[in-house]
Amino acid sequence: YGLVDTSGKEVVPCVYDNIGEFKDGLAGVSKDGKHGFIHTSGKEIVPVVYDSIGEFRFGLAVVKKGGKYGLVDRSGKEVAPCVYDEISGRFENGLTFAEKNGQLIYLNKFGEEVAE
């Protein structure tokens, strides 16, 4: 799949297996079983290297790579590396739950491990 604008000009070349719906300027894409996000301009914002990728909430999306979870922001920066066994992705009071090596921990919106 690819995308053209209203004048018929190609914005995104036909290189993706799937392109999702745009939400707040970004759309999920997949290619060869990997996932990422593109901008309405066609620029790949989050590289198509993740095994799975969730929707953005509070500016962050949960990603999975190599069986581990991490967080990326809307600029494509991996703010929390893919080292967690699980990340809830639901933020409350600026924190989300994660599990690492059998321990429950909190991550803030910057991907930092913090005490409750």
Side-chain angles (χ1 to χ4, degrees):
Y1 289 90
L3 296 173
V4 296
D5 65 16
T6 55
S7 70
K9 179 183 172 197
E10 184 180 79
V11 178
V12 177
C14 292
V15 297
Y16 297 106
D17 298 330
N18 189 47
I19 299 176
E21 181 179 328
F22 279 95
K23 293 181 184 175
D24 299 322
L26 297 177
V29 294
S30 64
K31 181 180 179 183
D32 300 327
K34 300 294 181 182
H35 305 273
F37 278 95
I38 60 171
H39 184 265
T40 53
S41 66
K43 181 179 178 189
E44 200 170 274
I45 301 297
V46 176
V48 183
V49 297
Y50 296 100
D51 302 325
S52 68
I53 194 161
E55 290 186 18
F56 281 95
R57 295 182 185 158
F58 301 101
L60 299 172
V62 176
V63 294
K64 183 180 182 183
K65 183 167 52 173
K68 299 289 184 174
Y69 295 86
L71 295 170
V72 295
D73 67 15
R74 293 180 61 79
S75 73
K77 179 182 176 192
E78 198 172 270
V79 297
C82 293
V83 297
Y84 299 94
D85 301 317
E86 181 98 24
I87 297 178
S88 77
R90 291 182 293 274
F91 282 83
E92 190 171 314
N93 299 320
L95 300 175
T96 187
F97 290 102
E99 185 178 331
K100 184 178 176 184
N101 301 323
Q103 291 186 312
L104 288 177
I105 54 177
Y106 293 98
L107 297 174
N108 65 19
K109 63 182 180 178
F110 304 109
E112 302 164 329
E113 295 182 13
V114 296
E116 182 179 9

